[in-house]
């Protein structure tokens, strides 16, 4: 039971969505202390009732005065809600941990993975009356960097080639439902319902639905490129990515090819990853057992395996790895709550 | 109707399997001429009846004398059958086009993609009485090189980083059935049947089930590395691959990062690919329309899209592309029949 006088007052924005619901699970699982919590959503979801830690809450429509007296607001209601209400919450002295991409690349807004760059939130304290915006990175970036950073610290990554295998959850709860619905339809020989995605997703895969930019990359891919540079505070690191949606429910997988400045052999890499916080190594070559999205679903840790010297690079300055992480949890809600924990 | 006196005598080995059945479709679709055709399989499938081009055939059990008088034998019944009966067919003066990996890396055995290295079968003629073994490359290699080779010819690929999204069909008809069965079970809340694969495949993905070698690569990945070198006759080309099975039925997708010796901009690359035989370009950035496995299923052409300059490489010597191809068709049966066509 984490309702206590000394805790901060919280607000969860977008509480009825997939990530919003996971905020509540994670707060509860981690016994996050709070003296009050507001459940906020858009007009469409306002008026619903939620039970959280044995109490009944009314979901309120987000409004400027929702943020009066709020110390920490966890936002996951899309970029436009963040843009409209994030600055209001900050002005009222609250700290916004924002899961949207609205502010991620803004100068002065920390973009944080607690295991990677906790220093970025130094000096920001909940309840100090001094508001601040903190951005939660994109799910693919978080999952990739959880595994790549410990290796980067040891041997400095100079180039990274990422191919993703992204779950339905990244497009929200409705997308997960559509994947189930489509799968039933296809099995019954019916044409698939395409409301969320414009094409068949069941037993298929497709290039990520984010808009494609003039350089041919989609926005999801450029997030991996730009957010990595910001989080690592290394404007020279070279990253390319190809982001693909696969018919998996809630955990992403990523095939990551790494090029290092210094030599790093695979045994040393395994040793480093085994010690890395929030990372679990699953790498049993004899049993052909490696990370899968299903295995990390609803789990906190990011799993890494297929750790091997890249045969296409000379010497020992290249590695291939395969990473899986729960998109809703470490890719979104858990990471945001971990940021909030650093503010207490 | 392609039954004609002047055609070669054919044998299809493993005719009841997924690729075996596709051999028949492709022979029929392409009006392949033959004066006789033997339907061969292991004891388990022998005795079945098949209808092909309006005639009834008995499936016979493979035996040494099955190959008496056979001009071209299309094999797809696994490596051990190829090893046992391939040399017998050759000794009897037949030409074996083998879809297994048994002979691919053997010196003197041509490894052929007709659009890529037709010169490798120069001098081999069906019906000459001079037997020969020709190997069909692995499906992932064929699909990758169909797109990479036209670019390689123009600007020379020096390094290639491949991540695959492989369909159930690569593990055979039973694997496709298990994916459907598992999916039904998962949707009904039942535990999934795991006979072919040792873990849940429905709504999941996993590292390719091929055995993992001492260098940490699985055999499927090393096929991409080694077969590329042999097909391109370039022992220096650097390739790394991560091979993943995704819950898709019969077409593979591959994310391919290319590093060239010479500059090649994306517009030129598109132009080259649009003219490449057996390749179709699907690359509509505004509509976010790119190749999908579903779209290429049961099609001959390999589709390529997401053609863009790699932002992680300086200048214009790097490209990212995304390729999809039907695993059973161009990845196996079609390619083998195209090889057979070159022997007439």
């Amino acid at each position: 039971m984490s309702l206590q006088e000394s805790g901060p007052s919280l607000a969860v924005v977008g509480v009825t969505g997939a990530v919003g619901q996971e905020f509540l699970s994670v707060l509860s699982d981690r016994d996050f202390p709070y003296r009050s919590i507001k459940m906020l959503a858009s007009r469409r979801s306002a008026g619903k009732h939620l039970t959280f830690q044995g109490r009944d809450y009314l979901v309120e429509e987000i409004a400027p005065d929702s943020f009066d007296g709020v110390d920490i607001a966890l936002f996951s209601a899309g970029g436009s809600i963040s843009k409209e209400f994030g600055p209001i919450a900050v002005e009222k002295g609250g700290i916004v941990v924002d899961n949207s991409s609205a502010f991620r690349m803004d100068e002065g807004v920390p973009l944080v993975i607690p295991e990677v760059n906790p220093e970025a939130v130094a000096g920001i304290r909940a309840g100090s009356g001094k508001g601040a915006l903190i951005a939660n990175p994109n799910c693919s970036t978080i999952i990739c960097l959880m595994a790549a950073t410990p290796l980067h610290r040891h041997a400095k990554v100079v180039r990274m080639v990422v191919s993703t295998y992204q779950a339905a959850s990244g497009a929200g709860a409705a997308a997960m439902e559509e994947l189930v619905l489509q799968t039933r339809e296809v099995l019954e020989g019916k044409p698939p319902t395409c409301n969320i995605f414009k094409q068949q997703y069941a037993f298929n895969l497709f290039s990520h639905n984010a808009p494609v930019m003039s350089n041919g990359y989609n926005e999801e891919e450029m997030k991996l490129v730009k957010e990595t540079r910001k989080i690592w505070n290394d404007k020279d690191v070279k990253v390319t990515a190809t982001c693909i949606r696969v018919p998996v429910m809630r955990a992403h997988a990523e095939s990551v090819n790494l090029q290092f400045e210094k030599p790093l052999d695979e045994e040393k890499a395994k040793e480093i990853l085994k010690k890395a916080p929030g990372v679990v190594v699953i790498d049993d070559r004899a049993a052909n057992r490696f990370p899968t999205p299903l295995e990390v679903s609803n789990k906190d840790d990011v799993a890494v395996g297929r750790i091997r010297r890249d045969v296409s690079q000379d010497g020992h300055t290249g590695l291939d790895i395969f990473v899986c992480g729960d998109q809703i949890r470490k890719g979104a809600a858990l990471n945001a709550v971990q940021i909030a924990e650093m503010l207490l």
Side-chain angles (χ1 to χ4, degrees), chain A:
Chain A
M1 186 57 170
S2 295
L3 191 62
Q4 46 189 255
E5 268 317 307
S6 63
S9 63
L10 304 181
V12 176
V13 182
V15 72
T16 56
V19 175
Q21 288 290 297
E22 200 75 17
F23 278 145
L24 297 183
S25 298
V26 174
L27 288 168
S28 192
D29 290 353
R30 298 176 74 88
D31 228 5
F32 194 97
Y34 60 94
R35 72 169 183 277
S36 65
I37 184 165
K38 278 187 188 170
M39 307 297 184
L40 303 174
S42 63
R43 177 168 301 170
R44 195 162 40 89
S45 300
K48 289 184 183 169
H49 283 262
L50 282 178
T51 302
F52 178 60
Q53 298 197 317
R55 284 168 191 259
D56 181 75
Y57 291 88
L58 177 71
V59 178
E60 299 169 51
E61 185 181 347
I62 319 162
D65 64 8
S66 304
F67 300 96
D68 291 347
V70 167
D71 296 317
I72 301 175
L74 302 172
F75 271 68
S76 189
S80 57
I81 294 285
S82 293
K83 276 186 189 150
E84 186 176 354
F85 294 101
I88 293 170
V90 170
E91 204 184 316
K92 290 172 189 277
I95 299 172
V96 169
V97 182
D98 182 29
N99 193 48
S100 84
S101 63
F103 304 105
R104 282 183 195 148
M105 297 311 298
D106 286 11
E107 215 171 325
V109 174
L111 183 65
V112 184
I113 306 171
E115 293 88 345
V116 174
N117 60 336
E119 68 280 2
V121 297
I124 305 179
R125 303 294 301 171
S128 67
K130 197 162 167 287
L133 259 169
I134 303 172
N136 211 34
N138 189 41
C139 46
S140 311
T141 312
I142 294 174
I143 292 164
C144 179
L145 296 193
M146 282 296 290
T149 305
L151 306 174
H152 175 59
R153 283 187 188 130
H154 192 86
K156 197 172 193 302
V157 171
V158 290
R159 183 170 176 247
M160 191 156 72
V161 179
V162 184
S163 295
T164 70
Y165 303 70
Q166 295 186 232
S169 59
M176 297 166 78
E177 286 159 25
E178 185 159 297
L179 174 56
V180 170
L181 174 64
Q182 279 199 5
T183 306
R184 285 189 203 282
E185 290 167 335
V186 170
L187 288 175
E188 289 165 15
K190 294 178 190 162
T193 302
C194 297
N195 291 327
I196 306 295
F197 298 109
K198 63 176 177 181
Q199 57 192 321
Q200 184 177 325
Y201 188 15
F203 302 107
N204 197 20
L205 55 83
F206 45 80
S207 186
H208 194 284
N209 46 298
V212 181
M213 304 163 75
S214 60
N215 69 353
Y217 283 72
N218 61 46
E219 286 179 4
E220 184 79 4
E221 292 160 351
M222 287 310 292
K223 286 174 187 172
L224 256 159
V225 175
K226 291 180 182 172
E227 293 179 15
T228 299
R229 290 186 190 142
K230 179 164 176 172
I231 293 166
W232 281 356
N233 191 24
D234 176 358
K235 66 180 192 332
D236 296 322
V237 62
K238 295 182 186 305
V239 180
T240 184
T242 298
C243 289
I244 305 294
R245 277 234 194 266
V246 295
V248 163
M249 219 42 88
R250 60 172 284 159
H252 288 353
E254 304 184 30
S255 166
V256 183
N257 178 269
L258 296 160
Q259 214 165 320
F260 297 100
E261 190 177 85
K262 291 173 236 170
L264 175 58
D265 67 36
E266 61 188 31
E267 284 314 314
K268 183 71 190 171
K270 273 183 208 171
E271 201 184 290
I272 291 167
L273 289 167
K274 278 178 185 165
K275 288 180 195 155
V279 173
V280 59
V281 172
I282 304 177
D283 200 298
D284 184 342
R285 293 178 180 181
N288 205 330
R289 206 174 96 72
F290 301 106
T292 68
L294 199 66
E295 201 166 357
V296 299
S297 291
N298 296 297
K299 300 274 170 61
D300 286 351
D301 286 344
V302 165
V304 56
R306 302 300 320 277
I307 303 157
R308 61 204 192 279
R309 185 179 86 78
D310 171 4
V311 295
S312 77
Q313 293 184 58
D314 296 324
H316 287 266
T317 55
L319 286 176
D320 278 299
I321 61 173
F322 188 66
V323 190
C324 291
D326 186 298
Q327 185 274 329
I328 312 180
R329 211 161 170 93
K330 183 59 186 171
L334 170 63
N335 196 74
V337 172
Q338 286 177 302
I339 292 172
E341 286 173 346
M342 293 195 295
L343 309 173
L344 301 181

